[in-house]
């Protein structure tokens, strides 16, 4: 099916994109890689009258290191994140998650900001943003504001971004000594979206887990922290027994979806297996 007719605008700057959003209001949608929005438009689930293209805005894509953090522009394609030597060395979890998204076409066009703003319940990067304590920078009619990943994902494809706001960059704090993370997923065989994905960031001191941030995707209506797993890890020896016991709690306290493709019990079982793998790999990286 063809999308409904729309007018195309190429924003020349972040400020221009925000001005266009203000001008066209509810009738406007930002477009970056188009790999989530265009399928919705073709099905006519979305019918924006004005499309504001942000992909070529100078300065909206790229990766830099500054003030103890990695800054990734919102329009940076997944392929660039996945292959960046800086990301691979500093935040391997982010690189490996970006590298597992879809196929090369999706990774070449789809963007970090588009994925986070779209907040698909089976997307990989929202879980990674939660585990890595990412901060999301948005520009809107009232200026710049910074949103913590923990407060960003509200519900199914719903975020804390306001109507007139553009995500400009995402800040990932560099991990402290003894910390590392890993992302594991069980991909859907057709789309590669996460049936279950687990992002785990661990800090180890003398063989014990002192800090843990674990987030899951694919299970419910949004990516969420697996608080019970985190609690089960902190203060314990970083060994297989601890990871096995913690992974058993992967879905504790979380609301799961159940659909024709996959009953809830299957998702729960899968989450335990995927969580155990993510924890073991994160710990092995953190141990150096
Ligand atoms: C076949 C296929 C397989 C896929 N497999 C996976 C997968 O395995 N894992 C996965 O995580 N994803 C997967 N995706 C989704 C892919 O990662 C998308 O690229 C991503 O979800 C959206 O990024 P985009 O740049 O294409 O956004 P777009 O489609 O351009 O936009 C998506 C939404 O975000 C908004 N938006 C875009 N940029 C901004 C911004 N800077 N600020 C505010 N709002 C913005 C748009 O208005 C729109 O509402 C797949 C997609 C396809 C088509």
């Amino acid at each position: 099916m063809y999308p409904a007719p729309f007018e195309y605008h190429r924003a020349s700057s972040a400020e221009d994109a925000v001005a266009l959003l203000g001008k066209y209001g509810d009738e406007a949608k930002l477009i970056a890689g188009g790999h989530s929005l265009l399928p919705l438009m073709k099905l006519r689930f979305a019918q924006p009258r004005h499309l504001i293209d942000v992909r070529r805005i100078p300065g909206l894509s790229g990766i830099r290191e500054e003030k103890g953090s990695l800054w990734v522009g919102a329009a940076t394609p997944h392929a660039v994140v996945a292959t960046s030597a800086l990301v691979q060395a500093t935040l391997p979890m982010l690189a490996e998650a970006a590298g597992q998204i879809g196929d090369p076409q999706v990774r070449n066009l789809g963007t970090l900001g588009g994925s986070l703003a779209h907040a698909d319940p089976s997307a990989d990067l929202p879980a990674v943003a939660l585990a890595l304590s990412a901060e999301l920078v948005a520009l809107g009619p009232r200026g710049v504001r910074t949103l913590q990943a923990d407060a960003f994902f509200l519900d199914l494809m719903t975020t804390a971004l306001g109507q007139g706001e553009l995500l400009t960059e995402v800040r990932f704090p560099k991990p402290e000594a003894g910390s590392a993370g890993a992302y594991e997923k069980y991909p859907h065989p057709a789309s590669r979206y996460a049936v279950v994905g687990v992002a785990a960031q661990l800090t180890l001191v003398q063989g014990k887990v002192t800090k843990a941030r674990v987030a899951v995707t694919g299970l419910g209506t949004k990516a969420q922290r697996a608080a019970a797993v985190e609690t089960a890890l902190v203060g314990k020896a970083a060994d297989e027994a601890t990871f096995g016991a913690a992974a058993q709690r992967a879905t504790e306290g979380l609301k799961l979806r159940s659909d024709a493709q996959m009953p809830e019990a299957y998702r729960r079982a899968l989450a335990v297996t995927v969580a155990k793998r993510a924890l073991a790999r994160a710990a092995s990286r953190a141990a150096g």
Side-chain angles (χ1 to χ4, degrees), residues 131-272:
L132 290 176
S133 312
E135 292 180 347
L136 296 91
V137 183
L139 178 70
R142 280 177 293 279
V144 177
R145 66 182 182 125
T146 301
L147 300 132
Q148 305 296 323
D150 275 329
F152 187 76
F153 305 103
L154 302 182
D155 204 346
L156 187 79
M157 294 176 179
T158 309
T159 70
L161 274 181
Q163 160 68 26
E165 285 185 317
L166 163 79
L167 210 51
T168 55
E169 52 190 352
V170 184
R171 187 177 81 89
F172 296 93
K174 280 172 73 176
E176 60 188 277
S179 306
Y183 181 72
E184 282 280 340
K185 79 166 165 178
Y186 182 84
H188 187 284
S191 69
R192 316 306 290 171
Y193 271 104
V195 173
V196 175
V198 179
Q201 177 75 10
L202 304 180
T203 305
L204 307 187
V205 176
Q206 291 172 353
K208 275 193 176 170
V209 182
T210 56
K211 286 183 196 162
R213 278 182 75 95
V214 181
V216 297
T217 186
L219 293 172
T221 56
K222 60 172 187 167
Q224 49 204 321
R225 296 269 298 279
V229 178
E230 296 174 354
T231 306
L233 290 166
V234 174
K236 306 275 170 36
D239 59 22
E240 215 185 311
T242 297
F243 301 142
Q248 287 296 331
R249 301 179 66 182
T251 59
E252 194 177 306
L254 306 183
K255 210 169 162 210
L256 269 61
R257 0 192 254 283
S258 182
D259 51 39
Q261 287 179 333
M262 198 159 301
E264 191 180 316
Y266 185 77
R267 272 186 217 276
R268 279 190 199 283
L270 209 50
V272 171

Side-chain angles (χ1 to χ4, degrees), residues 71-153:
W71 295 75
V72 184
T76 309
H78 305 316
V80 172
V81 176
T83 55
S84 155
L86 186 57
V87 179
Q88 286 170 354
T90 319
L91 298 168
M93 180 209 305
L94 175 59
E96 71 192 6
Q100 292 178 55
I101 291 175
D103 52 42
Q105 266 178 310
V106 175
R107 293 195 290 276
N108 283 331
L109 279 174
T111 65
L112 173 67
S115 177
L116 298 178
H118 190 63
D120 188 290
S122 299
D124 300 293
L125 298 177
V128 172
L130 286 170
L132 290 176
S133 312
E135 292 180 347
L136 296 91
V137 183
L139 178 70
R142 280 177 293 279
V144 177
R145 66 182 182 125
T146 301
L147 300 132
Q148 305 296 323
D150 275 329
F152 187 76
F153 305 103

Side-chain angles (χ1 to χ4, degrees), residues 64-80:
R64 69 181 198 282
E65 196 175 359
E66 196 182 302
K67 295 180 190 157
S69 293
L70 280 199
W71 295 75
V72 184
T76 309
H78 305 316
V80 172

